[in-house]
């Protein structure tokens, strides 16, 4: 039985000047090694959960608890890749290390071995605008994990990619998260993406994020269309559709 790495307890958050909360008494447990997806419509509050987990916002109520009260390092890949166009790919990747006080030369040495695994060999001295969309996302992913995180937060990482690139990136991402032994939380409004990647999916029908339906998947990777996935999809659509009526 894997340990609970992170627990959200009774979390409530309302943005200033808003009457209705975006998150209301949310409870959620994240286990070590989980690949978890939060599936909800646009504007429901998915990115807000990440803003709370990364302490960019403070909840009015409730708690976020970490295993044994340890300081667990979190990697965050925001919705837009936010690569710095004036820095080379290598210097974008080493940025979190430099911010932690690692010397530039050492940071470059630490980052270099990852480039081939990430399909980025030869791009070190390029600038972000010379890369394809899929490559930019891989750079962004590498930058998110380079500091050595246990939990990775991915905010709709592939929404800007074309459909075929997206499928390749999903398979690649799943493999990397497993290899790096990351506990991953993905937020998405893409049902197929959640079905392809997740061990568990939390389906939220609407805002505020409060109650959800939990779906557990055990199909092996890489996942392709299957009867089981189609059945899950049906159930998810029902959950989302019931609320819309
Ligand atoms: P999602 O990621 O699910 O699309 P968000 O978490 O970005 O949704 O936003 C949820 C709701 O909160 C939206 O209605 C959005 O307009 C609002 N919101 C987001 N950021 C802010 C902010 N800084 N101030 C006020 N309202 C915000
Ligand atoms: Mg969002």
């Amino acid at each position: 039985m894997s340990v609970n790495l992170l627990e959200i307890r009774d979390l409530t958050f309302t943005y200033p000047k808003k009457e209705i909360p975006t998150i209301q008494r949310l409870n959620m447990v994240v286990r070590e090694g989980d690949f978890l997806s939060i599936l909800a419509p646009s504007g429901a509050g998915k990115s807000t959960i990440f803003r709370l987990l990364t302490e960019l916002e403070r909840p009015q109520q409730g708690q976020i608890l970490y295993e044994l009260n340890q300081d667990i390092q979190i990697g965050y890949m925001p919705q837009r890749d936010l690569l710095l166009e004036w820095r080379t790919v290598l210097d974008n990747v080493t940025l979190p290390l430099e911010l932690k006080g690692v010397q530039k030369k050492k940071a470059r040495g630490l980052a270099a071995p990852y480039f081939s695994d990430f399909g980025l060999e030869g791009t070190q001295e390029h600038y972000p605008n010379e890369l394809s969309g899929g490559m930019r996302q891989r750079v962004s992913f590498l930058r998110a994990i380079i500091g050595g995180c246990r939990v990775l937060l991915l905010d709709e990482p592939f929404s800007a990619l074309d459909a075929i690139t997206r499928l390749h990136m999903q398979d690649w991402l799943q493999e990397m998260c497993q290899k790096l032994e990351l506990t991953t939380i993905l937020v998405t409004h893409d049902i197929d993406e959640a079905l392809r990647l997740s061990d568990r999916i939390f389906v939220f029908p609407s805002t505020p994020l409060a109650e959800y339906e939990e779906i557990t998947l055990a199909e092996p990777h890489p996942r392709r269309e299957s009867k089981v996935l189609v059945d899950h999809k049906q159930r998810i659509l029902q959950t989302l559709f019931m609320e819309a009526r």
Side-chain angles (χ1 to χ4, degrees):
M1 192 68 197
S2 46
V3 294
N4 293 347
L5 200 55
L6 172 59
E7 192 173 342
I8 294 175
R9 242 186 237 170
D10 256 343
L11 200 69
T12 296
F13 175 76
T14 311
Y15 279 110
K17 299 190 196 128
K18 285 225 170 168
E19 278 161 31
I20 302 166
T22 299
I23 294 172
Q24 193 165 38
R25 308 205 69 165
L26 176 66
N27 288 284
M28 190 179 285
V29 171
V30 182
R31 294 189 293 253
E32 174 116 65
D34 252 350
F35 196 120
L36 199 102
S37 289
I38 293 169
L39 183 63
S42 291
K46 301 182 295 298
S47 297
T48 304
I49 296 190
F50 282 179
R51 295 177 64 79
L52 287 158
L53 288 174
T54 51
E55 296 179 350
L56 292 171
E57 301 284 358
R58 284 176 68 87
Q60 282 88 18
Q61 238 185 72
Q63 288 169 300
I64 298 169
L65 304 165
Y66 296 96
E67 182 204 8
L68 305 171
N69 291 323
Q70 291 174 34
D71 222 357
I72 288 182
Q73 209 166 336
I74 293 184
Y76 179 27
M77 186 167 156
Q79 198 159 354
R80 286 180 47 237
D81 69 33
L82 304 178
L83 296 180
L84 306 176
E85 300 295 342
W86 62 92
R87 285 178 79 115
T88 63
V89 168
L90 183 57
D91 288 346
N92 264 285
V93 170
T94 56
L95 190 64
L97 296 171
E98 286 174 49
L99 291 175
K100 273 178 126 182
V102 179
Q103 281 191 336
K104 196 160 189 146
K105 199 171 162 209
K106 191 172 174 209
R108 290 177 158 205
L110 287 169
Y114 286 97
F115 272 73
S116 66
D117 251 3
F118 275 67
L120 293 168
E121 200 57 81
T123 65
Q124 283 88 333
E125 299 307 320
H126 289 193
Y127 286 87
N129 67 13
E130 298 173 78
L131 303 181
S132 68
M135 282 171 129
R136 286 184 73 107
Q137 291 306 87
R138 286 199 286 260
V139 174
S140 179
F141 182 81
L142 180 51
R143 188 177 59 180
I145 60 118
I146 195 78
C149 60
R150 276 175 82 189
V151 179
L152 178 64
L153 310 180
L154 302 170
D155 195 344
E156 307 206 24
F158 309 133
S159 53
L161 301 180
D162 66 86
I164 296 168
T165 307
R166 194 181 312 146
L167 290 177
H168 284 300
M169 287 295 293
Q170 286 164 348
D171 284 348
W172 175 81
L173 172 81
Q174 190 276 324
E175 246 177 69
M176 289 310 288
C177 289
Q178 202 164 25
K179 191 166 163 185
L180 297 166
E181 297 180 352
L182 295 170
T183 301
T184 309
I185 310 176
L186 170 81
V187 305
T188 184
H189 60 258
D190 181 337
I191 301 175
D192 293 314
E193 178 161 288
L195 287 169
R196 275 173 86 84
L197 293 172
S198 321
D199 303 318
R200 292 190 293 154
I201 306 175
F202 296 165
V203 188
F204 292 88
S206 64
T207 198
L209 300 185
E211 302 281 316
Y212 53 89
E213 171 152 3
E214 182 173 337
I215 292 185
T216 306
L217 297 110
E219 283 61 43
H221 294 279
R223 289 187 190 142
R224 298 291 176 257
E225 290 289 313
S226 73
K227 169 87 171 62
V228 182
L229 293 191
V230 171
D231 289 348
H232 282 310
K233 187 168 180 173
Q234 203 69 38
R235 201 170 133 205
I236 292 170
L237 284 168
Q238 259 166 14
T239 303
L240 296 171
F241 185 65
M242 254 174 7
E243 189 69 24
R245 266 194 303 192

